[in-house]
Amino acid sequence: MRLRLCAAYDHDKARHEKRLAMAALPDGWIEAAGEDLHFPQAGVVDPPAFVRALLGATPLRQAKIIRLDNQNGKWRTEDADGNHDVFDAVIIANGLDALSFTQVSALPLAGALGQIDWFPEAPAPEAPAPTSATAFGPYIAPAPQGGVVIGATYAPIEIGRSPAFSQEATQTNIAAVRAKFPELGAALTPERARPRASIRCTTPDRSPIAGPVPDWTFYADAYDGLRHGLTTPYKDGQSQDGLYILTGLGSRGLVSAPLAAAMIAAEIAGAPAPVEAGVAEALHPARFFIRELKKAKPQ
Ligand SMILES: Cc1cc2nc3c(=O)[nH]c(=O)nc-3n(C[C@H](O)[C@H](O)[C@H](O)COP(=O)(O)OP(=O)(O)OC[C@H]3O[C@@H](n4cnc5c(N)ncnc54)[C@H](O)[C@@H]3O)c2cc1C
């Protein structure tokens, strides 16, 4: 399967040219196709199958964690059935619901509701399902279980609200395809759509949050000088031993989560980091706190 990235706007053409000129990908991974970009190695991922493959033989126990406490240097979890477990290390990785844990509840996370629509059968003989994925702002792609999938909508949603699909979002997805591929779009009718809505977890700078959970009291004391513009050398940040977070993956979690997770796994295991220090800094959970201090006016 392949991926075609279309130039939907004039500025996309310049961006595509820049991407080609960067030559950041190996030979044959990115090609010009008129004004569009073509990725012969890329394709569509079946998310549940991808997660199963990543999990491999790792033992999994599913439970809703309602409480997390540090006791004698270990992390104690309590689940919704009243079971307790004790761990040397815990990674909070539950999207927007991370805010339910007091240790990270101050992070500036937000929700973005998204809906995709799946059409299980090829839309129509005269307009068959595409054989490669095409992204043009929205996207249309062959679905892993057959037919096509189109999407996705993007709208703010209040924290605490459950996601729900809507006819309106289905119409929006169909209209986007019709504007770009009129024949194929005409064969997609709302009655045949199987919608699915979910919530993306976003951050103010649109980058994920991945790393050790800061010791917030230490940060507030040690970096208070930033509010007064003091540039004296500051101590290194301190974190809550054994507690990590990976969230804020926004619209690209399937792409960015594995590397962010490898970064945290390396830190827990004391192995060399798989990314440069600048990447870890850009994703650090304390970055918003530090930025707020720098912006704050002295009292
Ligand atoms: C419509 C739509 C289309 C998208 N398309 C793409 C795409 O094309 N490519 C791409 O890369 N990304 C895409 N994304 C984004 C991608 O789905 C997310 O970035 C990714 O799922 C985030 O992974 P996550 O594990 O952080 O959160 P989630 O996938 O939200 O998983 C969080 C998990 O935590 C569990 N959980 C919550 N609270 C608790 C608790 N207290 N205890 C235990 N478990 C808990 C939840 O049940 C859930 O299973 C899309 C998202 C949407 C909504």
Side-chain angles (χ1 to χ4, degrees):
M1 204 170 292
R2 300 172 306 275
L3 171 71
R4 191 180 183 100
L5 188 60
C6 293
Y9 302 101
D10 281 347
H11 63 255
D12 287 338
K13 294 175 205 159
R15 283 164 65 186
H16 288 182
E17 277 164 21
K18 205 167 147 194
R19 281 185 183 134
L20 283 168
M22 280 166 68
L25 293 177
D27 273 356
W29 284 48
I30 178 169
E31 296 166 351
E35 289 176 349
D36 303 340
L37 293 182
H38 182 226
F39 296 81
Q41 324 280 334
V44 178
V45 163
D46 177 4
F50 182 54
V51 170
R52 280 196 300 276
L54 289 175
L55 198 58
T58 310
L60 174 72
R61 186 159 71 77
Q62 286 182 293
K64 183 177 170 67
I65 304 301
I66 56 166
R67 204 179 153 87
L68 190 57
D69 291 303
N70 190 291
Q71 286 187 357
N72 306 320
K74 305 248 180 198
W75 289 98
R76 183 174 180 267
T77 57
E78 179 182 341
D79 72 22
D81 297 324
N83 300 311
H84 295 98
D85 277 301
V86 174
F87 299 94
D88 292 328
V90 163
I91 305 168
I92 298 172
N94 58 337
L96 195 55
D97 291 329
L99 296 177
S100 65
F101 296 112
T102 53
Q103 293 84 355
V104 291
S105 59
L107 288 173
L109 302 177
L113 178 67
Q115 180 172 316
I116 53 156
D117 285 276
W118 175 38
F119 295 82
E121 283 107 41
E126 68 280 12
T131 52
S132 64
T134 303
F136 48 101
Y139 58 80
I140 180 161
Q145 280 88 21
V148 292
V149 60
I150 64 172
T153 58
Y154 193 101
I157 182 167
E158 274 168 49
I159 287 167
R161 275 192 57 192
S162 300
F165 60 81
S166 70
Q167 274 280 338
E168 193 190 349
T170 297
Q171 295 282 11
T172 302
N173 282 334
I174 291 175
V177 175
R178 284 187 184 162
K180 182 80 183 169
F181 304 104
E183 262 183 50
L184 185 53
L188 303 176
T189 52
E191 313 77 62
R192 294 167 62 204
R194 295 215 201 153
R196 186 181 153 270
S198 193
I199 296 177
R200 306 173 184 88
C201 176
T202 66
T203 65
D205 61 12
R206 299 289 179 259
S207 288
I209 292 177
V213 172
D215 174 339
W216 299 110
T217 311
F218 172 88
Y219 269 76
D221 285 349
Y223 300 113
D224 190 56
L226 291 172
R227 289 194 301 123
H228 307 278
L230 295 181
T231 54
T232 46
Y234 287 98
K235 297 178 205 162
D236 284 346
Q238 287 184 10
S239 48
Q240 305 190 36
D241 258 357
L243 188 60
Y244 300 83
I245 182 161
L246 172 45
T247 188
L249 292 162
S251 300
R252 302 197 179 93
L254 296 183
V255 180
S256 53
L259 185 58
M263 213 175 81
I264 294 176
E267 187 163 336
I268 294 174
V275 292
E276 289 168 18
V279 177
E281 265 170 44
L283 306 186
H284 198 282
R287 67 186 189 272
F288 302 106
F289 184 82
I290 296 290
R291 284 174 201 164
E292 284 304 311
L293 280 182
K294 287 181 177 169
K295 274 196 292 186
K297 296 256 185 310
Q299 301 289 317

